[in-house]
Amino acid sequence: MHVPQSDQSSGFSVSIDSASEAGPSSLLLDKLGRSNGLTNGNSFAAPMANGSSKCSSMGNGVSKHSSITRVSLPGTTLYQDPYVNREEFVRLVIQSLKDVGYIESAATLEAESGYSLEAPEVSEFRQYILSAEWPRAEAVLPRLVADDDSLWEALFLIGKQKYLELLEARNITAALQVLREQLAPLSANSSEQLHALSSLIMCSDAQELRRRALWDGASVASRQALLTDLQEFIPSAIMIPQQRFATLLTQARQYQRERCTYHNAPMNPTSFSLFCDHYCDKEDFPRVTTTILHVHTDEVWNVAWSHDGLRLASASKDKTAIIWRIAPDGHPRDRECVVEFILRDHPYPVGTLAWSLDDSILLTSADNLIMLWDTKNGKRISTLDSHLETVSALVWLPDGSGFMSASLDRKVVAWEASGKQVDEWPGVPIRVTDMAVAPDMKRLVVIGMGYQPTSFSPDDIPPWGVNREPPPASGVATGSNAQSSSDNRIVIYDLRTKATEQSIATEGELTSVKISSDSRFALVNHAPDAIHLLDLNDGHMARKFTGQRQRQHVIRSCFGGVDGNFVVSGSEDRNVYVWHRDTGVLLEVLSGHGTGSVNCVAWNPQNERMFASCSDDCTVRIWEPLPLPSETSVSVPLSIADATVNGKGKGRVYSSWDDGSGDGEVQS
């Protein structure tokens, strides 16, 4: 808005140009005054208190900015762009300057442009809300909102905050008065909401109140949230949304990120500069095998990185699991890859792996057995035999308090970190082939086959299901007995209550599930040739990734890269497939593995430019960007005999570099 004329005549040494010359200064005054029956003689013509263009006085009583000449520009738009309003732009700059602490610069810009950030009523309203002066806030509000309907809704929000703060302070009498005299009349058409608020009176303490109301308590944070909610009912030209310029920059950054096909850089000033558009080079993406780990003597079925990204565990059909130490930095030809331990005491092939939160314990499974290993010395801590059939999934809880196991025996078991069984989930309707716990610990997702109906699982088959060949007889490979499409299920549980939220039928076998870092989506491998991104909130398929094949073997995929921007999977055609998560576009088909399936992929949690894959060819491959032009990798395989003594790794695996190699070939 323009600085009022009364201020200009007393505060500046130069005259103020007309509104038509300076820009659309009448817009805000129209919204504030004329739309609410106000005139220029009301309080909006008073000097500004927050964002004011009336300059602060010096000690001698002379205006600090009295010598600044107001600039009068033709037209109302910024530059030659007909879509950017100059007044809006300048007011956002003033707001941004104030936000970062350049108060004098903001005042100078107000004086020079003739625009002010906001009217005094807006500044007062903000302060009234933040200091819980509810009667004063309610008195100012009618002069800010656009219409009566908006006024009633805004008053309800203020009354709700007032009511909750009184309840938290255990002032029940005053809270009941607000409920009856203010909230009840304002919620005549929403008895359900009023009933929910009235039930909060029964909360035993403040903590229960905050939990049930999904509220932060009587704090600056909750009142700031109230201001954000009230913004919906107050025209933005009157009360500019907080940090609006930063919001626009965030949107621009997000737009550039979405357009960057190979985006794999963290959000920081180095990777996102305001001086140029963001772009990630394809050559910086992990597309080349830099190291081949060849110690296993049979198919490698699973790989998992430690949380610190410094060690990699692999599980094999050869009845061993190996813990590798992978040096984090340096050129791949100089990187040390050491076999720390070979865990030999498995009586059967090793199928699954899981690291504890502090990486001190590694879980492995062999048929129906679960083994706990001390990763500091490679010694077995204990063996658990609660399951009756093949253990298909091992998952540590995100808070590190324990872990969960699932099996083809339809059992999901919860364990303490020490290996003591603490709970068992009843009525699991499927033979579980994989399982995942959401990072926010609100949901458990299990997938599997052999569905047996229960009273709480709807028998629906969504249209996105696919046909496939016979389902697996174990957690490792397929069997020979075909089952109907409705036998395959995704079951979503509430982790705390064990209640079934959703039970989704599919027409194809399900072999792997991973949950995104924001706990919103599940990545489900779905035979014979698709991976589905499932929205856990409503159960619909958000995206489908196609190209890889999995008709006979268990294939495990994962999210990868910064913010989980990519989906990566193995395949029965010996290749590794990489898709863009948001678009579903297939970006890379990476070759290099030998005969057989690529069974599992795992992205390094600390290095967005590294992931590992394992294969029936008995190897584990490390994938990274090509360090130097035209360089590709050749590995010198290391035998178990050379690498180990009494189960502890002594040998080292290096990658040697030779321009003539064909390993690490990229298909795209």
Side-chain angles (χ1 to χ4, degrees), residues 412-415 420-426 498:
V412 173
V413 180
W415 309 82
K420 178 182 177 182
Q421 183 173 334
V422 295
D423 201 3
E424 183 174 325
W425 288 52
K498 301 186 180 69

Side-chain angles (χ1 to χ4, degrees), residues 438-639:
D440 62 7
M441 292 189 64
K442 292 183 179 180
R443 290 185 171 115
L444 171 72
V445 180
V446 299
I447 63 173
M449 58 186 177
Y451 173 70
Q452 292 181 350
T454 61
S455 59
F456 51 77
S457 298
D459 189 15
D460 60 324
I461 302 177
W464 47 270
V466 294
N467 295 317
R468 74 141 284 129
E469 295 184 356
S474 71
V476 177
T478 59
S480 58
N481 299 322
Q483 299 183 15
S484 64
S485 60
S486 61
D487 282 345
N488 302 296
R489 289 269 166 163
I490 303 170
V491 185
I492 304 172
Y493 292 101
D494 183 298
L495 183 62
R496 183 178 62 86
T497 66
K498 301 186 180 69
T500 302
E501 292 185 358
Q502 300 178 63
S503 178
I504 305 169
T506 72
E507 293 188 359
E509 176 188 324
L510 309 172
T511 63
S512 168
V513 60
K514 294 290 189 297
I515 298 180
S516 59
S517 59
D518 62 2
S519 300
R520 173 72 184 277
F521 298 98
L523 190 68
V524 182
N525 275 54
H526 194 293
D529 55 6
I531 300 171
H532 291 165
L533 188 66
L534 185 74
D535 189 321
L536 295 178
N537 289 341
D538 56 22
H540 85 278
M541 183 180 66
R543 198 150 292 108
K544 183 177 181 180
F545 308 96
T546 60
Q548 51 84 253
R549 297 203 304 265
Q550 52 176 93
R551 295 179 178 273
Q552 296 181 349
H553 299 103
V554 170
I555 305 295
R556 302 182 188 276
S557 60
C558 70
F559 295 101
V562 169
D563 301 325
N565 289 336
F566 307 102
V567 169
V568 190
S569 179
S571 175
E572 292 179 2
D573 62 7
R574 305 189 298 179
N575 295 320
V576 174
Y577 287 73
V578 183
W579 297 266
H580 191 277
R581 171 180 162 180
D582 291 339
T583 64
V585 172
L586 178 62
L587 300 179
E588 300 288 343
V589 179
L590 307 176
S591 63
H593 274 292
T595 302
S597 298
V598 178
N599 299 308
C600 182
V601 291
W603 208 285
N604 190 313
Q606 301 299 325
N607 185 348
E608 67 273 6
R609 292 155 57 93
M610 176 188 289
F611 71 88
S613 62
C614 64
S615 168
D616 288 348
D617 67 3
C618 310
T619 70
V620 175
R621 285 182 173 242
I622 306 298
W623 301 82
E624 296 176 90
L626 193 63
L628 295 173
S630 75
E631 287 187 328
T632 49
S633 72
V634 180
S635 74
V636 181
L638 184 65
S639 70

Side-chain angles (χ1 to χ4, degrees), residues 91-278:
R91 289 175 65 196
L92 289 184
V93 173
I94 293 171
Q95 183 193 53
S96 300
L97 289 172
K98 288 178 177 290
D99 285 343
V100 298
Y102 297 129
I103 307 302
E104 289 300 314
S105 297
T108 299
L109 180 56
E110 286 181 312
E112 190 172 26
S113 67
Y115 299 126
S116 183
L117 177 59
E118 57 190 18
E121 270 80 354
V122 177
S123 303
E124 292 167 2
F125 180 72
R126 290 183 191 274
Q127 187 56 44
Y128 294 153
I129 292 293
L130 294 176
S131 59
E133 299 179 68
W134 308 122
R136 291 186 173 185
E138 291 165 349
V140 173
L141 187 61
R143 286 177 268 173
L144 305 181
V145 298
D147 53 60
D148 288 344
D149 289 340
S150 296
L151 176 61
W152 308 140
E153 293 187 62
L155 286 172
F156 182 87
L157 291 177
I158 295 175
K160 177 181 174 182
Q161 178 78 13
K162 185 196 313 184
Y163 170 72
L164 292 174
E165 293 196 13
L166 289 169
L167 283 183
E168 185 181 45
R170 305 309 295 169
N171 192 342
I172 306 300
T173 301
L176 282 172
Q177 185 177 359
V178 171
L179 185 68
R180 293 167 180 165
E181 298 179 4
Q182 181 174 351
L183 294 177
L186 291 172
S187 61
N189 298 326
S190 181
S191 58
E192 182 178 344
Q193 188 174 19
L194 187 65
H195 177 73
L197 289 173
S198 62
S199 68
L200 297 175
I201 296 176
M202 305 304 295
C203 292
S204 59
D205 53 33
Q207 184 176 1
E208 182 184 0
L209 171 67
R210 291 191 290 268
R211 179 180 61 80
R212 289 181 55 186
L214 302 177
W215 179 62
D216 290 332
S219 64
V220 173
S222 69
R223 294 169 189 167
Q224 287 280 12
L226 173 61
L227 274 174
T228 300
D229 292 339
L230 291 170
Q231 184 75 58
E232 178 183 350
F233 308 105
I234 302 175
S236 58
I238 295 176
M239 187 170 79
I240 301 173
Q242 299 178 62
Q243 298 183 344
R244 178 59 183 166
F245 209 99
T247 299
L248 295 174
L249 292 177
T250 298
Q251 292 172 354
R253 185 166 56 242
Q254 182 66 23
Y255 173 76
Q256 292 185 29
R257 174 190 174 280
E258 292 173 354
R259 289 174 59 88
C260 180
T261 303
Y262 285 88
H263 176 69
N264 200 28
M267 291 285 212
N268 58 47
T270 302
S271 59
F272 283 89
S273 170
L274 296 180
F275 296 145
C276 60
D277 290 343
H278 172 74

Side-chain angles (χ1 to χ4, degrees), residues 4 29-30 33-34 38-46:
L29 290 177
D30 282 344
R34 297 167 194 160
L38 303 174
T39 66
N40 288 337
N42 65 35
S43 59
F44 285 99

